[in-house]
Amino acid sequence: MISFNNIFKSYGEQYLLNDASFTINKGEFVGIVGPNGAGKSTLFKILCNEISPDKGSISLPKDMQISVLKQHLDKNAEDKKLLDFTADAIPELNALLKQIKKLEHEQTIDFSEKRLTTLGALQDKYELLGGYSIRTDAEIALSGLGFSPNDFNRTLNSFSGGWQMRAALASVLISNPKILLLDEPSNYLDVPAVEWLYKYLKNFQGTLLLISHDRYLLKKLTNITIEMNGGIVTRYPGDYDYYVRERDNRAYHLELAKKNQDKKKEKMQGFIDKFRAKSTKASLVKSQIKKLNKLEDIIAPDALSYSGTIKIPHPPKSGVEAIALENISLSYDNKNYILDNINLNIETGAKVGIVGYNGTGKTTLLRIIANSLPATSGKRKLGHNVILGYQAQDFSEIFNNEQTTYDVVKSAAPNQEAVKNVRNILGAFGFTGDDSSKSCKVLSGGEKIRLSFARIFINPPNFLVLDEPTTHLDIAAREALQFALKEYKGTVCIVSHDIEFISDVADTIIAMTQPASIMKYLGGYEYYLDKVAQIAKNDILNENDIDSDANSNNKKLSRKDKADFRKTMQKTKNKLSKKVTEFENKIEILEEENEQLVEQLSDENAQFAKINRRIKEVQDELNDITNKWEESAEELEEFMIEYNENAR
């Protein structure tokens, strides 16, 4: 059992731990939550004896091995090969192996029964600690976290910082500790790696302490939740969902109790003030003062909710299709292709999540969609009246450090009228008062994310393209953004490693597959997982050839029926799409003609009467065709709901 007894820890005037007392029992899986800066990582440092509390004591089991995932690697490890670094997870094994080799060598020179007994004991201990399987364990963990066998002999410093942290995570996981401390382990992981990590940790036999903003891991793994907020540490005997319910319930009742107590105090203070000067009431006044002083303050928990409300403007109306990619390929050397002959259509109103291992081209595909990266070949076509808003993972693509928050948003304003709204937009994303003059270089990661959103919405888009929008956001901010995107009526395309976020927002999944291709699933994340599992199962069945002929015939018949149905539906879809596209093309032609006619009016020799008559005709035609386009678009939208449902 781990016991924290009246722990105090402060930096300056800010208390991260203020008289904190709580216990963690053997075998518990504990989620540690709270806003950024609440002291979660400080708690781990105290546990690992890296820093000392100002006051209080900690009780730990004796000889209990603790493994911790640190946010920075030891510089001395960077020259090691990946597999060697990962397999060097249990320091005691190296010392044991040296002793074993020494005794084995001595035995070849001078045989001794005593030495043989000692050697056997050392070998048993080495085996018990997992020494004979440690390299295999390392290979399994590295593969699960996205490394390929070709990576195993590369030096650690040849990988990016994110991949180095994956290697560190693999090493910690196979170290076979009794107490495992993980600080934001999913920060550098893609969705498949997060899924693998969950399955791995589910079978962990020790005590787990998990600091995370990843609600998927918190919900799936933890059975205890510890909240840190404003110096107060509160233990909840349940997973993340239980914690959220109980916290809200506790906050509600504490707020009621506080209001009642405040009324009681006010009434007592009123009596004291009224009769303080009257000698006849002196004893009663003293009694009331004693009672008032004995009342302990009821402290309602600080709000964890996101401080800046995310208000996404209603999107302008657009065509039925947001974007079409035709035969898109991308290669930097014309030999190795990151994307190869990609065809993709995203319908207006779709919420698309892009998933896959790192390095499969998720960000590349997103950048091509956003038109920030030209494809090597192929065609990219935006739908009618589509206004695209792009939030890059790399903030240097969006703004530079010397700009103020006001300047960043103002620079994206499409016109002078929008400039007047800059401060309102900044306020909607949590930048109020003097925050508008803040320099970008002093912003936290979460503030930069919010600023990039404010920059997008100064010119309200109807197609949002977002690359890892939840990075640097705490749970409350993620939930606020998640809710805003769910309510948003426009089109959304997201790359995110936050499974809970993708699961809740996305209604379509694009999976990046090898080599350099994609697979589109017309359903949410759970539907995608079911389909992938079903495909894998079918592949196994086909390989083993265990289906009977009768079953095969039934399946063929079923597949034929489905294929015929899809063929009929596809014809209807094509017919409706063609009709909508024709209207959109006519609208574009008429709008161009209208612009040309207006320009002609500036010529003093123009035939004004004739031009004005034609402008009136064009505007009437535009109104008529726009109405027909809206009717057709709605008809297609209703059909697509049925089409997508049956396509599953």
Side-chain angles (χ1 to χ4, degrees):
M1 183 173 76
I2 302 169
S3 179
F4 280 70
N5 307 303
N6 308 109
I7 297 293
F8 289 82
K9 185 64 184 178
S10 65
Y11 291 97
E13 296 182 357
Q14 182 186 9
Y15 269 100
L16 299 181
L17 294 164
N18 189 358
D19 198 19
S21 295
F22 60 94
T23 58
I24 296 169
N25 298 309
K26 183 180 178 181
E28 289 181 337
F29 278 27
V30 182
I32 301 175
V33 301
N36 290 337
K40 301 186 293 294
S41 296
T42 298
L43 186 72
F44 273 16
K45 289 177 182 177
I46 292 174
L47 264 176
C48 297
N49 205 28
E50 291 180 16
I51 60 174
S52 300
D54 301 331
K55 290 182 186 177
S57 62
I58 301 168
S59 174
L60 283 167
K62 290 183 179 179
D63 302 322
M64 188 65 72
Q65 184 192 348
I66 298 178
S67 289
V68 58
L69 174 65
K70 297 182 179 179
Q71 295 300 316
H72 302 285
L73 292 183
D74 184 349
K75 289 287 182 183
N76 296 326
E78 293 184 356
D79 293 329
K80 288 185 178 181
K81 290 183 179 179
L82 174 65
L83 185 57
D84 293 338
F85 165 80
T86 307
D88 190 17
I90 306 174
E92 191 178 352
L93 288 177
N94 292 329
L96 280 172
L97 190 58
K98 284 181 181 178
Q99 292 180 60
I100 289 169
K101 286 183 176 179
K102 181 184 177 185
L103 285 172
E104 286 175 342
H105 176 69
E106 289 173 353
Q107 280 288 76
T108 60
I109 298 171
D110 179 22
F111 180 82
S112 161
E113 286 287 346
K114 182 179 179 182
R115 192 183 292 118
L116 183 62
T117 302
T118 303
L119 179 61
L122 289 173
Q123 288 172 334
D124 288 345
K125 187 175 182 181
Y126 188 78
E127 182 178 9
L128 185 64
L129 289 173
Y132 294 112
S133 63
I134 193 77
R135 290 184 75 82
T136 302
D137 293 341
E139 289 176 353
I140 291 170
L142 288 170
S143 298
L145 292 172
F147 291 97
S148 73
N150 293 332
D151 293 327
F152 292 167
N153 287 319
R154 287 173 54 188
T155 57
L156 201 61
N157 56 17
S158 68
F159 294 95
S160 68
W163 284 95
Q164 288 181 15
M165 289 309 301
R166 287 190 185 213
L169 175 59
S171 185
V172 167
L173 291 176
I174 67 169
S175 64
N176 196 29
K178 297 299 181 184
I179 300 174
L180 179 58
L181 312 181
L182 298 180
D183 190 350
E184 296 292 358
S186 62
N187 264 5
Y188 303 97
L189 303 183
D190 45 46
V191 167
V194 173
E195 291 278 10
W196 179 88
L197 178 63
Y198 153 65
K199 291 171 185 174
Y200 189 97
L201 290 174
K202 189 172 69 169
N203 298 312
F204 176 59
Q205 297 300 309
T207 303
L208 172 67
L209 275 68
L210 173 66
I211 295 173
S212 184
H213 291 139
D214 192 318
R215 290 157 295 159
Y216 175 78
L217 290 179
L218 291 170
K219 290 180 179 183
K220 286 275 194 175
L221 286 172
T222 62
N223 51 30
I224 300 293
T225 303
I226 288 178
E227 177 196 277
M228 299 183 66
N229 187 32
I232 307 299
V233 177
T234 310
R235 176 185 162 103
Y236 291 83
D239 64 8
Y240 181 77
D241 283 335
Y242 172 87
Y243 152 71
V244 171
R245 290 194 305 271
E246 286 302 305
R247 187 186 199 282
D248 289 345
N249 187 48
R250 178 171 169 267
Y252 173 74
H253 288 291
L254 279 174
E255 194 64 43
L256 285 180
K258 188 176 185 306
K259 285 180 180 178
N260 288 334
Q261 189 187 67
D262 288 346
K263 285 180 181 178
K264 187 176 181 180
K265 282 184 176 181
E266 187 179 347
K267 188 176 180 181
M268 292 170 73
Q269 188 64 52
F271 179 88
I272 293 167
D273 293 341
K274 184 176 180 180
F275 297 108
R276 189 189 296 273
K278 293 190 176 183
S279 57
T280 56
K281 302 286 186 180
S283 60
L284 286 174
V285 168
K286 284 181 181 179
S287 174
Q288 288 295 307
I289 290 173
K290 284 182 181 179
K291 287 180 181 179
L292 183 61
N293 290 335
K294 284 181 180 180
L295 284 178
E296 290 187 12
D297 289 337
I298 295 174
I299 301 173
D302 291 340
L304 289 178
S305 59
Y306 176 55
S307 59
T309 305
I310 296 178
K311 300 174 183 176
I312 299 182
H314 193 77
K317 200 164 183 65
S318 63
V320 73
E321 190 170 73
I323 195 169
L325 302 182
E326 298 176 7
N327 303 316
I328 291 289
S329 295
L330 187 121
S331 172
Y332 294 109
D333 58 8
N334 292 320
K335 293 179 183 177
N336 301 301
Y337 281 84
I338 300 170
L339 300 173
D340 188 17
N341 202 34
I342 298 294
N343 289 285
L344 175 66
N345 296 76
I346 297 177
E347 291 81 17
T348 293
K351 307 285 176 65
V352 180
I354 302 178
V355 302
Y357 282 109
N358 285 352
T360 51
K362 300 189 298 295
T363 291
T364 300
L365 177 62
L366 213 64
R367 291 184 68 195
I368 287 173
I369 289 172
N371 205 29
S372 75
L373 177 68
T376 306
S377 61
K379 186 178 179 182
R380 170 190 178 276
K381 184 182 178 184
L382 275 183
H384 175 67
N385 199 37
V386 169
I387 303 168
L388 193 143
Y390 173 49
Q391 181 247 306
Q393 188 175 3
D394 183 359
F395 295 121
S396 64
E397 288 187 44
I398 307 170
F399 44 77
N400 67 62
N401 282 334
E402 301 309 314
Q403 288 179 294
T404 66
T405 58
Y406 181 86
D407 290 337
V408 167
V409 178
K410 180 183 175 183
S411 67
N415 51 51
Q416 198 57 38
E417 191 63 31
V419 170
K420 298 176 184 177
N421 200 35
V422 169
R423 294 190 187 279
N424 290 334
I425 290 291
L426 282 167
F429 288 90
F431 296 97
T432 57
D434 293 339
D435 290 341
S436 62
S437 59
K438 261 188 178 181
S439 171
C440 292
K441 63 186 174 187
V442 303
L443 298 180
S444 66
E447 286 175 322
K448 287 180 178 178
I449 290 282
R450 289 191 275 120
L451 181 58
S452 68
F453 271 94
R455 180 183 175 277
I456 288 172
F457 288 108
I458 191 66
N459 181 28
N462 46 32
F463 184 16
L464 284 174
V465 180
L466 310 175
D467 195 356
E468 296 292 0
T470 61
T471 304
H472 306 297
L473 297 182
D474 58 25
I475 291 177
R478 291 182 188 208
E479 289 176 343
L481 177 59
Q482 185 174 306
F483 178 79
L485 290 177
K486 276 189 72 176
E487 296 297 305
Y488 180 59
K489 301 303 181 185
T491 310
V492 182
C493 194
I494 314 167
V495 168
S496 177
H497 68 265
D498 188 326
I499 293 177
E500 183 73 17
F501 190 85
I502 287 286
S503 296
D504 197 45
V505 174
D507 56 27
T508 301
I509 296 295
I510 294 173
M512 308 300 296
T513 58
Q514 298 287 9
S517 58
I518 65 171
M519 181 71 75
K520 185 176 180 182
Y521 296 85
L522 296 172
Y525 184 74
E526 292 299 323
Y527 170 76
Y528 152 72
L529 289 181
D530 289 344
K531 281 295 180 184
V532 169
Q534 184 181 328
I535 290 168
K537 183 179 179 182
N538 289 341
D539 286 344
I540 293 171
L541 292 175
N542 290 335
E543 285 176 10
N544 295 329
D545 196 26
I546 61 171
D547 285 339
S548 66
D549 290 340
N551 285 339
S552 296
N553 289 335
N554 287 337
K555 284 186 178 181
K556 286 177 183 177
L557 180 63
S558 174
R559 287 171 186 160
K560 184 178 182 303
D561 290 342
K562 288 180 179 178
D564 289 343
F565 177 76
R566 282 197 294 268
K567 193 173 180 181
T568 302
M569 294 282 281
Q570 186 66 42
K571 284 181 180 179
T572 306
K573 177 191 171 187
N574 292 342
K575 184 178 178 181
L576 291 171
S577 296
K578 184 179 178 182
K579 188 177 178 182
V580 170
T581 303
E582 286 174 355
F583 283 134
E584 288 175 356
N585 291 337
K586 287 179 181 178
I587 289 170
E588 287 181 10
I589 292 169
L590 288 168
E591 285 177 342
E592 286 177 9
E593 184 183 354
N594 189 66
E595 287 177 8
Q596 292 169 1
L597 290 167
V598 171
E599 285 180 10
Q600 289 176 23
L601 288 173
S602 61
D603 185 349
E604 60 182 18
N605 297 319
Q607 297 179 1
F608 295 104
K610 183 178 179 181
I611 293 172
N612 281 323
R613 279 197 302 272
R614 182 54 189 157
I615 287 175
K616 178 68 168 60
E617 290 171 359
V618 168
Q619 288 175 343
D620 288 343
E621 287 182 58
L622 261 174
N623 290 335
D624 181 52
I625 293 175
T626 299
N627 289 334
K628 290 178 179 177
W629 167 69
E630 288 180 354
E631 291 173 4
S632 300
E634 286 176 8
E635 184 181 358
L636 179 56
E637 189 175 342
E638 290 173 3
F639 171 81
M640 287 305 300
I641 293 171
E642 180 186 359
Y643 178 84
N644 290 338
E645 188 65 34
N646 284 291
R648 302 182 186 186

